[in-house]
Amino acid sequence: MSRNLLDPTREKEQMQFMTPFGPVIGHYKMGKEFLDFVNEPVDLHIDKSSDLTLKDYSPYTSGSISEELLMEDELLPKIGEFIKDLVANYWLYSMSRRSLADASFNDDHDYTINVLRGWYARQFKGEYNQLCSSSGWLAGSMAVVGYLDVPKDIEKEWATDWEGTTPSVGMTQFVWGNPDELNSNNVFIKPQVGDLFIFPSNLQHIMYPFLNSSGEYRSFNLNLNLTSSLKEQTDEIST
């Protein structure tokens, strides 16, 4: 296993696009207001005095995680509105890289971000999300993961694990293709609160278990599309 660590510049509300291998991985640092907004439904779900209970989504995911909770439908377009600039810029960057030419939006089209599904993951000590990617009609073309909470003392656990031969504890890993002498096929991320990553929905990823820290990894996950439609043409009426 490699020690390829992807370490984005974590400046508040700044977009960054990285290409450690084929697909583009985008990063955005969420602000406190948005973090609180997205966190609130989970906090209410946990609060026994609250009437809000989120639906169990674990039968539709591949992780061995305590709680995976379906986002309420009315939350999805609100999150889509918040991340619309990130999604648009990610799409433009990826399409420009794909065609080796500057991509742009057509003035005669309307563009819409469709968040197809969203869910929360609450991962505790010893739990993990196995290597997976999104597929099916709900996968869309892009996926998002945003980190809302991280385990206490995870930095100390990382420091100890990094001294070993195969460091991976508590990290997220992205995997694409096969490695060879001149090519790496994977990168690791040490998640921080406020990290938001966007990537192709078919990019494989895995979340390794943490072993000695207390608390939870709490994240939200989205699958989405950017769709376009021809603007309605209105005929000018002269008098």
Side-chain angles (χ1 to χ4, degrees), residues 58-77:
S58 59
Y60 306 99
T61 62
S62 59
S64 177
I65 294 176
S66 287
E67 276 196 305
E68 298 195 79
L69 306 165
L70 185 66
M71 279 186 175
E72 295 183 297
D73 288 342
E74 57 266 28
L75 191 63
L76 301 183

Side-chain angles (χ1 to χ4, degrees), residues 15-68:
M15 300 177 198
Q16 183 180 3
F17 303 113
M18 299 160 285
T19 53
F21 36 52
V24 177
I25 299 175
H27 176 267
Y28 179 83
K29 187 71 173 181
M30 295 178 283
K32 185 177 185 304
E33 183 179 355
F34 182 64
L35 279 169
D36 291 343
F37 169 72
V38 182
N39 248 325
E40 185 179 20
V42 184
D43 291 336
L44 291 174
H45 172 83
I46 297 170
D47 186 353
K48 294 182 180 179
S49 65
S50 169
D51 293 331
L52 178 62
T53 302
L54 299 176
K55 295 180 181 179
D56 178 23
Y57 196 61
S58 59
Y60 306 99
T61 62
S62 59
S64 177
I65 294 176
S66 287
E67 276 196 305
E68 298 195 79

Side-chain angles (χ1 to χ4, degrees), residues 6-21:
L6 193 66
D7 192 17
T9 301
R10 290 179 165 98
E11 295 185 17
K12 184 179 178 181
E13 299 179 351
Q14 175 180 309
M15 300 177 198
Q16 183 180 3
F17 303 113
M18 299 160 285
T19 53
F21 36 52

Side-chain angles (χ1 to χ4, degrees), residues 110-114 142 225-229:
D110 288 318
Y111 293 85
T112 304
I113 294 172
N114 298 309
M142 291 169 274
N225 273 327
L226 180 67
T227 59
S228 65
S229 59

Side-chain angles (χ1 to χ4, degrees), residues 50 59 73 97 100 102 118 161 192 222 229 232:
S50 169
D73 288 342
R97 186 167 178 265
L100 300 180
D102 289 339
D161 184 54
Q192 295 183 13
L222 308 171
S229 59
E232 291 187 12

Side-chain angles (χ1 to χ4, degrees), residues 3 9 12 17 27-28 53 64 66 69 73 78 83 95 106 117 156 162 187 193 200 203 225 235:
R3 292 173 180 262
T9 301
K12 184 179 178 181
F17 303 113
H27 176 267
Y28 179 83
T53 302
S64 177
S66 287
L69 306 165
D73 288 342
K78 296 177 182 178
I83 64 173
M95 294 301 292
N106 295 323
R117 60 178 172 179
K156 294 180 181 179
W162 202 251
V187 289
V193 172
L203 177 59
N225 273 327
D235 295 329

